[in-house]
mmCIF file of all heavy atoms in Angstrom:
data_model
loop_
_atom_site.group_PDB
_atom_site.id
_atom_site.type_symbol
_atom_site.label_atom_id
_atom_site.label_comp_id
_atom_site.label_asym_id
_atom_site.label_seq_id
_atom_site.Cartn_x
_atom_site.Cartn_y
_atom_site.Cartn_z
ATOM 1 N N GLY B 1 -2.620 46.112 -91.547
ATOM 2 C CA GLY B 1 -1.215 45.903 -91.786
ATOM 3 C C GLY B 1 -0.559 46.910 -92.708
ATOM 4 O O GLY B 1 0.662 47.133 -92.654
ATOM 5 N N ASN B 2 -1.366 47.613 -93.540
ATOM 6 C CA ASN B 2 -0.812 48.652 -94.410
ATOM 7 C C ASN B 2 -1.538 50.000 -94.232
ATOM 8 O O ASN B 2 -1.452 50.882 -95.063
ATOM 9 C CB ASN B 2 -0.910 48.224 -95.871
ATOM 10 C CG ASN B 2 -2.329 48.087 -96.373
ATOM 11 O OD1 ASN B 2 -3.230 47.822 -95.540
ATOM 12 N ND2 ASN B 2 -2.553 48.213 -97.653
ATOM 13 N N GLY B 3 -2.245 50.155 -93.101
ATOM 14 C CA GLY B 3 -2.917 51.427 -92.796
ATOM 15 C C GLY B 3 -1.852 52.549 -92.636
ATOM 16 O O GLY B 3 -0.785 52.324 -92.132
ATOM 17 N N PHE B 4 -2.212 53.752 -93.045
ATOM 18 C CA PHE B 4 -1.246 54.836 -93.052
ATOM 19 C C PHE B 4 -0.801 55.229 -91.668
ATOM 20 O O PHE B 4 0.340 55.602 -91.425
ATOM 21 C CB PHE B 4 -1.740 56.009 -93.890
ATOM 22 C CG PHE B 4 -2.824 56.864 -93.270
ATOM 23 C CD1 PHE B 4 -2.527 57.962 -92.525
ATOM 24 C CD2 PHE B 4 -4.164 56.504 -93.482
ATOM 25 C CE1 PHE B 4 -3.535 58.748 -91.961
ATOM 26 C CE2 PHE B 4 -5.170 57.313 -92.935
ATOM 27 C CZ PHE B 4 -4.848 58.429 -92.181
ATOM 28 N N MET B 5 -1.704 55.173 -90.688
ATOM 29 C CA MET B 5 -1.295 55.476 -89.298
ATOM 30 C C MET B 5 -0.446 54.332 -88.738
ATOM 31 O O MET B 5 0.465 54.570 -87.959
ATOM 32 C CB MET B 5 -2.504 55.739 -88.429
ATOM 33 C CG MET B 5 -3.273 57.033 -88.773
ATOM 34 S SD MET B 5 -4.675 57.253 -87.658
ATOM 35 C CE MET B 5 -5.402 58.763 -88.394
ATOM 36 N N TYR B 6 -0.770 53.143 -89.125
ATOM 37 C CA TYR B 6 0.060 51.972 -88.696
ATOM 38 C C TYR B 6 1.488 52.158 -89.194
ATOM 39 O O TYR B 6 2.456 51.907 -88.511
ATOM 40 C CB TYR B 6 -0.584 50.695 -89.264
ATOM 41 C CG TYR B 6 0.166 49.428 -88.920
ATOM 42 C CD1 TYR B 6 -0.086 48.739 -87.767
ATOM 43 C CD2 TYR B 6 1.144 48.912 -89.800
ATOM 44 C CE1 TYR B 6 0.609 47.545 -87.436
ATOM 45 C CE2 TYR B 6 1.833 47.751 -89.515
ATOM 46 C CZ TYR B 6 1.552 47.076 -88.322
ATOM 47 O OH TYR B 6 2.219 45.930 -88.049
ATOM 48 N N GLU B 7 1.596 52.605 -90.437
ATOM 49 C CA GLU B 7 2.934 52.873 -91.048
ATOM 50 C C GLU B 7 3.657 53.996 -90.324
ATOM 51 O O GLU B 7 4.906 54.002 -90.264
ATOM 52 C CB GLU B 7 2.798 53.143 -92.557
ATOM 53 C CG GLU B 7 2.244 51.975 -93.347
ATOM 54 C CD GLU B 7 3.218 50.830 -93.415
ATOM 55 O OE1 GLU B 7 4.379 51.020 -93.148
ATOM 56 O OE2 GLU B 7 2.775 49.674 -93.792
ATOM 57 N N TRP B 8 2.902 54.954 -89.819
ATOM 58 C CA TRP B 8 3.527 56.037 -89.051
ATOM 59 C C TRP B 8 4.196 55.532 -87.742
ATOM 60 O O TRP B 8 5.054 56.152 -87.220
ATOM 61 C CB TRP B 8 2.513 57.074 -88.633
ATOM 62 C CG TRP B 8 1.965 57.917 -89.722
ATOM 63 C CD1 TRP B 8 2.354 57.999 -91.033
ATOM 64 C CD2 TRP B 8 0.917 58.921 -89.580
ATOM 65 N NE1 TRP B 8 1.634 58.924 -91.688
ATOM 66 C CE2 TRP B 8 0.733 59.498 -90.852
ATOM 67 C CE3 TRP B 8 0.138 59.342 -88.522
ATOM 68 C CZ2 TRP B 8 -0.231 60.504 -91.079
ATOM 69 C CZ3 TRP B 8 -0.804 60.315 -88.725
ATOM 70 C CH2 TRP B 8 -0.968 60.925 -90.008
ATOM 71 N N GLY B 9 3.663 54.401 -87.261
ATOM 72 C CA GLY B 9 4.116 53.888 -85.950
ATOM 73 C C GLY B 9 3.290 54.385 -84.811
ATOM 74 O O GLY B 9 3.756 54.478 -83.675
ATOM 75 N N VAL B 10 1.996 54.676 -85.053
ATOM 76 C CA VAL B 10 1.114 55.151 -83.996
ATOM 77 C C VAL B 10 0.964 54.079 -82.915
ATOM 78 O O VAL B 10 0.926 52.862 -83.238
ATOM 79 C CB VAL B 10 -0.244 55.572 -84.566
ATOM 80 C CG1 VAL B 10 -1.013 54.343 -85.062
ATOM 81 C CG2 VAL B 10 -1.084 56.287 -83.502
ATOM 82 N N LYS B 11 0.895 54.473 -81.659
ATOM 83 C CA LYS B 11 0.703 53.532 -80.570
ATOM 84 C C LYS B 11 -0.768 53.536 -80.121
ATOM 85 O O LYS B 11 -1.257 54.551 -79.636
ATOM 86 C CB LYS B 11 1.636 53.945 -79.385
ATOM 87 C CG LYS B 11 3.115 53.761 -79.703
ATOM 88 C CD LYS B 11 3.944 54.044 -78.477
ATOM 89 C CE LYS B 11 5.426 53.847 -78.779
ATOM 90 N NZ LYS B 11 5.749 52.464 -79.144
ATOM 91 N N ASP B 12 -1.415 52.411 -80.305
ATOM 92 C CA ASP B 12 -2.776 52.254 -79.865
ATOM 93 C C ASP B 12 -3.094 50.798 -79.761
ATOM 94 O O ASP B 12 -3.697 50.185 -80.671
ATOM 95 C CB ASP B 12 -3.756 52.955 -80.860
ATOM 96 C CG ASP B 12 -5.202 52.918 -80.354
ATOM 97 O OD1 ASP B 12 -5.424 52.589 -79.187
ATOM 98 O OD2 ASP B 12 -6.102 53.235 -81.154
ATOM 99 N N LEU B 13 -2.661 50.192 -78.669
ATOM 100 C CA LEU B 13 -2.748 48.717 -78.535
ATOM 101 C C LEU B 13 -4.176 48.229 -78.739
ATOM 102 O O LEU B 13 -4.449 47.300 -79.478
ATOM 103 C CB LEU B 13 -2.197 48.239 -77.224
ATOM 104 C CG LEU B 13 -2.329 46.737 -76.982
ATOM 105 C CD1 LEU B 13 -1.427 45.966 -77.941
ATOM 106 C CD2 LEU B 13 -2.011 46.355 -75.553
ATOM 107 N N ALA B 14 -5.146 48.843 -77.984
ATOM 108 C CA ALA B 14 -6.469 48.225 -77.901
ATOM 109 C C ALA B 14 -7.597 49.191 -78.214
ATOM 110 O O ALA B 14 -8.758 48.819 -77.988
ATOM 111 C CB ALA B 14 -6.687 47.597 -76.536
ATOM 112 N N GLY B 15 -7.288 50.412 -78.681
ATOM 113 C CA GLY B 15 -8.390 51.232 -79.149
ATOM 114 C C GLY B 15 -8.645 52.581 -78.530
ATOM 115 O O GLY B 15 -9.791 53.026 -78.485
ATOM 116 N N GLY B 16 -7.583 53.275 -78.046
ATOM 117 C CA GLY B 16 -7.786 54.619 -77.588
ATOM 118 C C GLY B 16 -8.299 55.484 -78.703
ATOM 119 O O GLY B 16 -9.221 56.310 -78.561
ATOM 120 N N ILE B 17 -7.743 55.324 -79.889
ATOM 121 C CA ILE B 17 -8.183 56.035 -81.090
ATOM 122 C C ILE B 17 -9.376 55.330 -81.747
ATOM 123 O O ILE B 17 -10.412 55.907 -81.956
ATOM 124 C CB ILE B 17 -7.028 56.193 -82.109
ATOM 125 C CG1 ILE B 17 -5.923 57.036 -81.556
ATOM 126 C CG2 ILE B 17 -7.545 56.797 -83.419
ATOM 127 C CD1 ILE B 17 -4.634 57.072 -82.393
ATOM 128 N N VAL B 18 -9.184 54.041 -82.004
ATOM 129 C CA VAL B 18 -10.130 53.271 -82.797
ATOM 130 C C VAL B 18 -11.469 53.160 -82.105
ATOM 131 O O VAL B 18 -12.554 53.260 -82.736
ATOM 132 C CB VAL B 18 -9.597 51.877 -83.128
ATOM 133 C CG1 VAL B 18 -10.606 51.048 -83.915
ATOM 134 C CG2 VAL B 18 -8.296 51.967 -83.918
ATOM 135 N N VAL B 19 -11.447 52.969 -80.830
ATOM 136 C CA VAL B 19 -12.697 52.705 -80.061
ATOM 137 C C VAL B 19 -13.167 53.982 -79.315
ATOM 138 O O VAL B 19 -14.252 54.520 -79.553
ATOM 139 C CB VAL B 19 -12.519 51.566 -79.044
ATOM 140 C CG1 VAL B 19 -13.797 51.393 -78.209
ATOM 141 C CG2 VAL B 19 -12.204 50.248 -79.793
ATOM 142 N N HIS B 20 -12.327 54.495 -78.395
ATOM 143 C CA HIS B 20 -12.783 55.532 -77.489
ATOM 144 C C HIS B 20 -12.897 56.905 -78.093
ATOM 145 O O HIS B 20 -13.887 57.637 -77.811
ATOM 146 C CB HIS B 20 -11.912 55.498 -76.243
ATOM 147 C CG HIS B 20 -11.980 54.259 -75.483
ATOM 148 N ND1 HIS B 20 -13.074 53.848 -74.792
ATOM 149 C CD2 HIS B 20 -11.045 53.234 -75.307
ATOM 150 C CE1 HIS B 20 -12.887 52.668 -74.229
ATOM 151 N NE2 HIS B 20 -11.659 52.279 -74.525
ATOM 152 N N ILE B 21 -11.932 57.327 -78.892
ATOM 153 C CA ILE B 21 -12.059 58.622 -79.502
ATOM 154 C C ILE B 21 -13.175 58.684 -80.537
ATOM 155 O O ILE B 21 -13.980 59.612 -80.512
ATOM 156 C CB ILE B 21 -10.711 59.038 -80.132
ATOM 157 C CG1 ILE B 21 -9.668 59.366 -79.041
ATOM 158 C CG2 ILE B 21 -10.901 60.267 -81.047
ATOM 159 C CD1 ILE B 21 -8.296 59.781 -79.555
ATOM 160 N N THR B 22 -13.277 57.638 -81.347
ATOM 161 C CA THR B 22 -14.412 57.633 -82.346
ATOM 162 C C THR B 22 -15.780 57.615 -81.630
ATOM 163 O O THR B 22 -16.652 58.381 -82.025
ATOM 164 C CB THR B 22 -14.295 56.425 -83.251
ATOM 165 O OG1 THR B 22 -14.317 55.201 -82.494
ATOM 166 C CG2 THR B 22 -13.026 56.449 -84.094
ATOM 167 N N ALA B 23 -15.897 56.809 -80.593
ATOM 168 C CA ALA B 23 -17.182 56.739 -79.890
ATOM 169 C C ALA B 23 -17.463 58.039 -79.165
ATOM 170 O O ALA B 23 -18.600 58.513 -79.124
ATOM 171 C CB ALA B 23 -17.165 55.573 -78.872
ATOM 172 N N GLY B 24 -16.444 58.671 -78.582
ATOM 173 C CA GLY B 24 -16.650 59.928 -77.860
ATOM 174 C C GLY B 24 -17.040 61.041 -78.788
ATOM 175 O O GLY B 24 -18.000 61.810 -78.454
ATOM 176 N N VAL B 25 -16.434 61.180 -79.972
ATOM 177 C CA VAL B 25 -16.775 62.228 -80.894
ATOM 178 C C VAL B 25 -18.210 61.984 -81.415
ATOM 179 O O VAL B 25 -19.027 62.906 -81.507
ATOM 180 C CB VAL B 25 -15.773 62.276 -82.060
ATOM 181 C CG1 VAL B 25 -16.245 63.267 -83.135
ATOM 182 C CG2 VAL B 25 -14.426 62.710 -81.506
ATOM 183 N N ALA B 26 -18.515 60.756 -81.798
ATOM 184 C CA ALA B 26 -19.833 60.436 -82.309
ATOM 185 C C ALA B 26 -20.927 60.697 -81.226
ATOM 186 O O ALA B 26 -22.033 61.124 -81.557
ATOM 187 C CB ALA B 26 -19.907 58.976 -82.778
ATOM 188 N N SER B 27 -20.568 60.424 -80.004
ATOM 189 C CA SER B 27 -21.531 60.687 -78.911
ATOM 190 C C SER B 27 -21.822 62.173 -78.746
ATOM 191 O O SER B 27 -22.966 62.558 -78.475
ATOM 192 C CB SER B 27 -20.967 60.126 -77.597
ATOM 193 O OG SER B 27 -20.859 58.712 -77.642
ATOM 194 N N LEU B 28 -20.801 62.997 -78.908
ATOM 195 C CA LEU B 28 -21.006 64.433 -78.805
ATOM 196 C C LEU B 28 -21.945 64.894 -79.919
ATOM 197 O O LEU B 28 -22.859 65.672 -79.694
ATOM 198 C CB LEU B 28 -19.658 65.180 -78.924
ATOM 199 C CG LEU B 28 -19.713 66.682 -78.921
ATOM 200 C CD1 LEU B 28 -20.332 67.216 -77.641
ATOM 201 C CD2 LEU B 28 -18.306 67.265 -79.113
ATOM 202 N N VAL B 29 -21.673 64.433 -81.134
ATOM 203 C CA VAL B 29 -22.540 64.802 -82.292
ATOM 204 C C VAL B 29 -23.954 64.291 -82.024
ATOM 205 O O VAL B 29 -24.963 65.078 -82.259
ATOM 206 C CB VAL B 29 -21.972 64.206 -83.578
ATOM 207 C CG1 VAL B 29 -22.957 64.381 -84.757
ATOM 208 C CG2 VAL B 29 -20.594 64.800 -83.911
ATOM 209 N N ALA B 30 -24.119 63.062 -81.621
ATOM 210 C CA ALA B 30 -25.453 62.507 -81.417
ATOM 211 C C ALA B 30 -26.233 63.228 -80.313
ATOM 212 O O ALA B 30 -27.411 63.506 -80.469
ATOM 213 C CB ALA B 30 -25.356 61.029 -81.113
ATOM 214 N N SER B 31 -25.573 63.528 -79.222
ATOM 215 C CA SER B 31 -26.245 64.199 -78.120
ATOM 216 C C SER B 31 -26.758 65.570 -78.522
ATOM 217 O O SER B 31 -27.882 65.997 -78.087
ATOM 218 C CB SER B 31 -25.325 64.347 -76.917
ATOM 219 O OG SER B 31 -24.198 65.179 -77.187
ATOM 220 N N VAL B 32 -26.042 66.254 -79.395
ATOM 221 C CA VAL B 32 -26.456 67.576 -79.901
ATOM 222 C C VAL B 32 -27.566 67.441 -80.916
ATOM 223 O O VAL B 32 -28.556 68.162 -80.856
ATOM 224 C CB VAL B 32 -25.246 68.360 -80.463
ATOM 225 C CG1 VAL B 32 -25.697 69.626 -81.141
ATOM 226 C CG2 VAL B 32 -24.243 68.673 -79.364
ATOM 227 N N MET B 33 -27.379 66.521 -81.882
ATOM 228 C CA MET B 33 -28.374 66.456 -82.994
ATOM 229 C C MET B 33 -29.684 65.782 -82.539
ATOM 230 O O MET B 33 -30.732 66.129 -83.036
ATOM 231 C CB MET B 33 -27.744 65.705 -84.171
ATOM 232 C CG MET B 33 -26.630 66.495 -84.838
ATOM 233 S SD MET B 33 -26.011 65.730 -86.333
ATOM 234 C CE MET B 33 -27.482 65.815 -87.408
ATOM 235 N N VAL B 34 -29.635 64.826 -81.641
ATOM 236 C CA VAL B 34 -30.856 64.189 -81.129
ATOM 237 C C VAL B 34 -31.571 65.163 -80.200
ATOM 238 O O VAL B 34 -32.770 65.222 -80.128
ATOM 239 C CB VAL B 34 -30.520 62.875 -80.420
ATOM 240 C CG1 VAL B 34 -31.830 62.290 -79.783
ATOM 241 C CG2 VAL B 34 -29.963 61.866 -81.413
ATOM 242 N N GLY B 35 -30.813 65.955 -79.469
ATOM 243 C CA GLY B 35 -31.420 66.915 -78.567
ATOM 244 C C GLY B 35 -31.387 66.366 -77.123
ATOM 245 O O GLY B 35 -31.320 65.181 -76.885
ATOM 246 N N ALA B 36 -31.585 67.305 -76.208
ATOM 247 C CA ALA B 36 -31.531 66.942 -74.768
ATOM 248 C C ALA B 36 -32.822 66.290 -74.347
ATOM 249 O O ALA B 36 -33.877 66.457 -74.962
ATOM 250 C CB ALA B 36 -31.289 68.193 -73.980
ATOM 251 N N ARG B 37 -32.702 65.503 -73.240
ATOM 252 C CA ARG B 37 -33.902 64.961 -72.623
ATOM 253 C C ARG B 37 -34.795 66.125 -72.097
ATOM 254 O O ARG B 37 -34.296 67.184 -71.759
ATOM 255 C CB ARG B 37 -33.529 64.053 -71.481
ATOM 256 C CG ARG B 37 -32.841 62.740 -71.895
ATOM 257 C CD ARG B 37 -32.204 62.051 -70.731
ATOM 258 N NE ARG B 37 -31.020 62.787 -70.259
ATOM 259 C CZ ARG B 37 -30.275 62.399 -69.191
ATOM 260 N NH1 ARG B 37 -30.595 61.270 -68.575
ATOM 261 N NH2 ARG B 37 -29.261 63.095 -68.827
ATOM 262 N N LYS B 38 -36.057 65.878 -72.021
ATOM 263 C CA LYS B 38 -37.013 66.861 -71.498
ATOM 264 C C LYS B 38 -36.623 67.257 -70.083
ATOM 265 O O LYS B 38 -36.521 66.395 -69.213
ATOM 266 C CB LYS B 38 -38.412 66.341 -71.581
ATOM 267 C CG LYS B 38 -38.949 66.008 -72.964
ATOM 268 C CD LYS B 38 -38.958 67.245 -73.857
ATOM 269 C CE LYS B 38 -39.436 66.934 -75.261
ATOM 270 N NZ LYS B 38 -39.374 68.079 -76.152
ATOM 271 N N GLY B 39 -36.416 68.528 -69.896
ATOM 272 C CA GLY B 39 -36.082 69.062 -68.568
ATOM 273 C C GLY B 39 -34.634 69.284 -68.356
ATOM 274 O O GLY B 39 -34.254 69.877 -67.306
#
């Protein structure tokens, strides 16, 4: 209710930023740091 992006008026009803962007960025980091599957 008092988050700074909420106060900006950001539009994100169900999680484009909160869910999908955070998960996507973390997935990129994890795939690189864990390393590729063999082959």
Side-chain angles (χ1 to χ4, degrees):
N2 65 334
F4 72 94
M5 292 182 184
Y6 180 88
E7 296 291 343
W8 288 355
V10 68
K11 293 184 179 297
D12 185 11
L13 177 69
I17 296 171
V18 178
V19 176
H20 296 292
I21 288 179
T22 59
V25 173
S27 295
L28 177 61
V29 172
S31 64
V32 172
M33 292 187 64
V34 174
R37 291 166 291 179
K38 298 299 179 184

